[in-house]
Amino acid sequence: MSSFGGRMKEYPNISLDRFDRDNLHARAYFLSHCHKDHMKGLKGPLLKRKLKFSLTVKLYCSPVTKELLLNNPKYGFWEDHIVALEVDNPTQISLVDEITGEKEDIVVTLLPAGHCPGSVMFLIEGNQGTVLYTGDFRLAKGEVARMEFLHSGGRVKDIQSVYVDTTFCDPSFFQIPSREACLNGIMELVRDWIIQSPYHVVWFNCKAAYGYEYLFTNLSEEFGRQIHVKNMDMFRRMPEILCHLTTDRMTQIHACRHPKDEEFLRGSRLPCGSTAPNGTPLNIISIKPSTMWFGERTRKANVVVKTGASSYRACFSFHSSYSEIEDFLSYICPVNIYPNVIPLGRTLDNVKEILKPLCREHSRRGAITYKPLGTLKRAKVENTSVDSDSEDELFEMEEVTPWRRKKPPPKRLKPLSPEKTEPPNCQEDLCLQLHTVQQNGNYIDCTESNDDDEEEEEEGESATEKPCFDHLTKSSGGQNPACSPPSEPAEGSVDQHKMVDVACPESEPPKWEAFFTADPVLTDEGSELESSQNSRALSAERPSPWSPNLFSDSDDDSTHISSQSTHVSDPGTDGLSQVDTVLLPPEEKIAELQRNQQRDPHKANHEGNHNNWDRDAGSLEDGNNFPPQTISPEKSESQMSSDFEISSTPDSQVPKTEDLKDLYKKLAAGEAIVLNRGSQ
DNA sequence: GCGATCAGAT
DNA sequence: CACATCTGATCGC
């Protein structure tokens, strides 16, 4: 849970993800994503009132976040005050004090955060230096190195402060299986179940929250079954998501919810009320997405755990693991790091202590060496400055090689003065304080929540509708391959019209996929981006020790698994209670059914999962990132292409290209910027 | 009666 | 576990 106060030291005139108290005085607002704990005060009457009398105060967010936010009528009053900014598109924003007229310019760039649809980080550049607010994020190792706008002149920008999501910034959470690994594990479980009969259905126990869409869309693509959800109106302008969801209950994969869903489940009914025809009971398994983590040296990583006769937990995390955070921060190497989250059981000082080694001052300048970047980027220092735990041997020291960006940098930017912009010289205190090695099977509920205020659903009683599962067997071939036409709901679906209607509004739908990049198709160990990072920890291990597997086959350290396997087939009647946490044994009978089926790895990486970098790389070939887009109040529909003229912030003029270039060079060089707009 | 806050539940 | 938020109770305006 975010405990970020809303304001950054460097830029106190803006507020991010907090809208109450002091933040009421902000000149501009920023919303990183649509989770409630980042929206405190956003619908408060005081803020509402302030907006009413303000001409210049805006809320900046991604197009998808804007869409999701405005979907909720309670935030409707923001409509005329929201400005959607495209990802990876630097935008100049003038922060105007409406009383004094004083003005401050900043350049804001949204970076994908991988937390939920629309989630972004905010990179702020201005007179007070460059700072990064991450919001909540999940970025795999190496992803930061591909973020173009964190670089300048071929190097990482000189970042003063990072306000970072520290949800799992605890060595206990050293590793969380990759998104793709988790997805694969879940797919396998789902496949093995639903393949058995049309009456074998899967229920995902997801709480109301954005962030599971990635799971749903991939499941839908893989199995040709749309996911049944309670409400999907918020995605009406995002056909890429919408076409994988349905409000028609006749499907084998459900993520619907009901206040008493556990009760339903016990009666072999789904939360939506579906039962099988003719009294034939549905065969339901429930899968609860949860965050599972593993200690530093824990090699095994089962991503699916059986917790009862018909209940499972599957690994799923919206937040970066400790090692991912470490990778992220050590790459950026900011002067200051401020935690946005204090994990329970820890204190602020606690977290700061953990973060300290990643701050620049704790790296030893001058003695910097670099890792090869064919793999990754991390800089390394000869001596560990601070606490040099004796665990260095855990990691393999690599040859020193100059850092190189994997993708071409923004070109033609002047080389920056060396003392201003430093290479990633943050030595990553390789070993931090990693005494705690967690056991397998650590997991917590992984339930973020969004803001949909519990759309009252009256359908609880329609439970008596005649279910018909017959069509499922026929349609199992996969009906929505390309997602272009929304797959047609079953005949007789009441929601059909609604769905079709909303599915094609075509008016510049927000590009949700741009904000939620999946892990690379490559497996973790195969990914070149990961290899470098992992190598330090994996060098002593097997080739792919951390590739989590469902039904992990005979593994050297799987003794505990086999010992528990006797529990597995035991149909504990109380399948939904905690029971024993049981790791699935390799011989699980389910697995036999489809064990050898190999999935096409490409499926998990449809278009939508490409990183923004790739998408935008072409447009950047012109040499540099400037001029930044300049924001204007009229551009509230700015989801469209940004390749056109944009007027500037309210009561400011369109900046001249020359000026902007100049400004940006100065920013990049860390020089002070003197505003000569004369509009004070 | 609404909002803010907290405990408890999920 | 440790998430994020919903519900309900209480308090203050």
Side-chain angles (χ1 to χ4, degrees):
Chain A
M1 293 279 246
S2 175
S3 57
F4 179 63
R7 295 197 296 173
M8 306 186 293
K9 284 190 170 55
E10 295 82 0
Y11 297 99
N13 290 327
I14 64 175
S15 285
L16 310 89
D17 286 356
R18 280 294 289 267
F19 310 91
D20 55 354
R21 302 171 177 240
D22 292 346
N23 302 299
L24 284 167
H25 308 119
R27 300 182 192 177
Y29 294 99
F30 295 83
L31 178 62
S32 68
H33 65 287
C34 254
H35 280 164
K36 275 265 166 68
D37 59 322
H38 292 255
M39 298 161 67
K40 209 169 195 182
L42 191 55
K43 58 173 157 47
L46 293 177
L47 188 49
K48 191 172 181 176
R49 182 181 152 83
K50 169 179 175 171
L51 284 188
K52 207 174 246 175
F53 297 102
S54 169
L55 295 172
T56 61
V57 172
K58 301 291 175 191
L59 174 65
Y60 299 93
C61 62
S62 70
V64 169
T65 295
K66 175 184 176 183
E67 178 75 16
L68 296 178
L69 183 73
L70 292 183
N71 177 70
N72 187 334
K74 286 178 178 162
Y75 299 97
F77 67 89
W78 276 104
E79 174 123 36
D80 297 329
H81 304 268
I82 295 192
V83 179
L85 302 178
E86 294 290 346
V87 162
D88 288 341
N89 189 13
T91 303
Q92 179 185 316
I93 295 175
S94 290
L95 308 172
V96 182
D97 184 318
E98 294 188 304
I99 297 173
T100 67
E102 178 196 333
K103 196 155 74 170
E104 173 187 10
D105 282 0
I106 57 174
V107 173
V108 178
T109 308
L110 278 55
L111 306 174
H115 175 69
C116 70
S119 68
V120 295
M121 310 188 286
F122 293 107
L123 180 70
I124 314 276
E125 298 165 271
N127 281 341
Q128 303 310 311
T130 298
V131 299
L132 177 66
Y133 171 80
T134 70
D136 285 348
F137 76 101
R138 172 135 203 221
L139 296 173
K141 283 179 180 173
E143 285 195 73
V144 62
R146 288 185 292 171
M147 294 191 166
E148 163 147 22
F149 291 92
L150 288 177
H151 299 85
S152 177
R155 295 177 167 185
V156 179
K157 285 178 179 172
D158 175 14
I159 297 190
Q160 180 67 22
S161 297
V162 174
Y163 299 78
V164 62
D165 171 17
T166 44
T167 300
F168 292 130
C169 191
D170 178 325
S172 307
F173 305 108
F174 189 81
Q175 192 235 351
I176 296 171
S178 73
R179 193 171 274 142
E180 191 195 27
C182 295
L183 181 64
N184 286 338
I186 293 170
M187 296 259 223
E188 195 165 334
L189 175 60
V190 171
R191 165 181 291 103
D192 291 342
W193 188 253
I194 68 175
I195 198 87
Q196 298 182 65
S197 88
Y199 306 100
H200 284 72
V201 301
V202 172
W203 176 62
F204 281 92
N205 186 355
C206 302
K207 295 291 179 5
Y210 296 122
Y212 299 102
E213 292 74 17
Y214 162 80
L215 174 61
F216 297 159
T217 56
N218 278 281
L219 285 168
S220 168
E221 281 207 347
E222 177 74 11
F223 300 114
R225 277 110 164 128
Q226 293 169 307
I227 315 306
H228 178 248
V229 295
K230 199 166 149 187
N231 174 25
M232 54 191 211
D233 291 344
M234 65 290 278
F235 301 121
R236 63 184 172 280
R237 304 223 305 159
M238 291 171 248
E240 301 90 345
I241 295 179
L242 193 67
C243 68
H244 295 297
L245 306 178
T246 182
T247 50
D248 174 9
R249 296 176 299 159
M250 306 310 140
T251 179
Q252 276 176 284
I253 306 177
H254 291 251
C256 44
R257 289 177 296 116
H258 186 281
K260 291 189 214 131
D261 41 32
E262 307 270 320
E263 214 173 275
F264 277 58
L265 264 279
R266 272 189 281 273
S268 287
R269 286 194 305 161
L270 288 161
C272 57
S274 272
T275 57
N278 322 329
T280 312
L282 285 178
N283 301 303
I284 306 172
I285 56 171
S286 71
I287 302 175
K288 186 170 191 169
S290 310
T291 301
M292 303 164 66
W293 66 91
F294 303 91
E296 177 190 8
R297 311 200 75 151
T298 310
R299 296 181 292 177
K300 174 160 290 307
N302 291 292
V303 299
V304 173
V305 171
K306 188 162 187 172
T307 55
S310 58
S311 56
Y312 298 80
R313 281 182 184 251
C315 184
F316 200 89
S317 179
F318 301 138
H319 299 273
S320 276
S321 67
Y322 175 82
S323 58
E324 286 165 346
I325 295 171
E326 177 206 359
D327 174 80
F328 180 83
L329 291 174
S330 65
Y331 185 79
I332 293 173
C333 199
V335 175
N336 307 303
I337 303 175
Y338 302 103
N340 291 346
V341 181
I342 314 296
L344 219 66
R346 306 213 81 119
T347 64
L348 178 60
D349 288 342
N350 233 214
V351 188
K352 281 181 176 169
E353 207 55 39
I354 293 173
L355 293 171
K356 199 183 289 178
L358 301 171
C359 292
R360 190 177 303 172
E361 67 175 288
H362 285 258
S363 65
R364 295 189 52 201
R365 268 161 286 225
I368 308 155
T369 59
Y370 299 99
K371 282 192 175 183
L373 185 68
T375 48
L376 249 191
K377 68 293 159 134
R378 203 181 278 239
K380 188 162 291 205
V381 176
E382 287 178 358
N383 289 338
T384 311
S385 51
V386 231
D387 48 296
S388 57
D389 302 335
S390 59
E391 307 181 34
D392 286 35
E393 70 272 15
L394 290 174
F395 307 111
E396 173 182 347
M397 296 304 188
E398 298 197 6
E399 307 287 331
V400 292
T401 328
W403 182 87
R404 285 178 167 278
R405 52 173 53 247
K406 180 175 184 306
K407 298 266 192 172
K411 287 148 229 105
R412 283 201 267 112
L413 281 189
K414 277 193 175 164
L416 306 173
S417 48
E419 73 278 8
K420 287 292 186 181
T421 305
E422 292 163 327
N425 58 356
C426 229
Q427 60 91 22
E428 74 246 39
D429 265 7
L430 293 175
C431 312
L432 310 160
Q433 313 74 0
L434 303 175
H435 3 30
T436 30
V437 175
Q438 295 290 321
Q439 289 298 315
N440 287 348
N442 290 328
Y443 56 78
I444 57 178
D445 291 357
C446 178
T447 57
E448 315 250 338
S449 5
N450 61 22
D451 60 330
D452 49 350
D453 289 5
E454 282 347 288
E455 321 302 77
E456 54 318 302
E457 41 110 21
E458 299 310 318
E459 42 103 353
E461 316 334 320
S462 53
T464 50
E465 282 177 36
K466 39 17 164 148
C468 168
F469 285 85
D470 292 349
H471 70 286
L472 290 175
T473 40
K474 298 160 193 152
S475 65
S476 58
Q479 65 227 50
N480 43 13
C483 212
S484 2
S487 37
E488 47 286 294
E491 306 71 54
S493 162
V494 217
D495 300 299
Q496 182 166 3
H497 297 307
K498 176 168 145 200
M499 198 189 122
V500 172
D501 282 348
V502 297
C504 32
E506 280 313 328
S507 56
E508 39 170 307
K511 302 172 209 142
W512 80 283
E513 67 278 9
F515 305 90
F516 197 45
T517 61
D519 288 344
V521 213
L522 300 171
T523 60
D524 297 351
E525 54 277 10
S527 160
E528 72 164 353
L529 282 168
E530 295 230 347
S531 56
S532 168
Q533 288 303 304
N534 285 344
S535 64
R536 62 194 174 97
L538 301 185
S539 54
E541 316 277 348
R542 295 167 284 164
S544 60
W546 281 0
S547 175
N549 292 310
L550 172 62
F551 309 139
S552 65
D553 7 30
S554 60
D555 208 284
D556 30 284
D557 56 350
S558 63
T559 52
H560 59 294
I561 294 182
S562 39
S563 71
Q564 289 184 337
S565 63
T566 51
H567 293 86
V568 173
S569 53
D570 179 25
T573 50
D574 189 13
L576 292 174
S577 62
Q578 77 306 341
V579 190
D580 298 324
T581 293
V582 183
L583 296 173
L584 286 170
E587 300 76 18
E588 179 76 39
K589 62 171 189 282
I590 299 172
E592 294 175 7
L593 293 172
Q594 285 296 317
R595 180 166 202 96
N596 297 322
Q597 260 195 15
Q598 288 297 325
R599 275 181 310 289
D600 179 359
H602 296 74
K603 295 223 179 155
N605 190 51
H606 54 87
E607 261 91 295
N609 292 334
H610 286 316
N611 191 293
N612 294 293
W613 210 104
D614 299 318
R615 182 169 51 79
D616 293 342
S619 66
L620 295 160
E621 291 304 316
D622 63 352
N624 60 43
N625 311 332
F626 309 100
Q629 172 186 350
T630 307
I631 220 49
S632 79
E634 308 83 47
K635 178 117 165 53
S636 58
E637 294 293 350
S638 62
Q639 290 109 297
M640 345 181 54
S641 159
S642 55
D643 295 335
F644 51 79
E645 287 290 313
I646 312 145
S647 53
S648 55
T649 308
D651 73 85
S652 68
Q653 299 94 12
V654 180
K656 299 192 184 79
T657 307
E658 292 304 309
D659 295 337
L660 285 174
K661 275 188 177 168
D662 208 44
L663 167 69
Y664 206 94
K665 282 175 189 167
K666 286 178 178 171
L667 284 174
E671 298 174 20
I673 305 240
V674 179
L675 298 176
N676 52 358
R677 285 184 179 224
S679 54
Q680 3 266 326

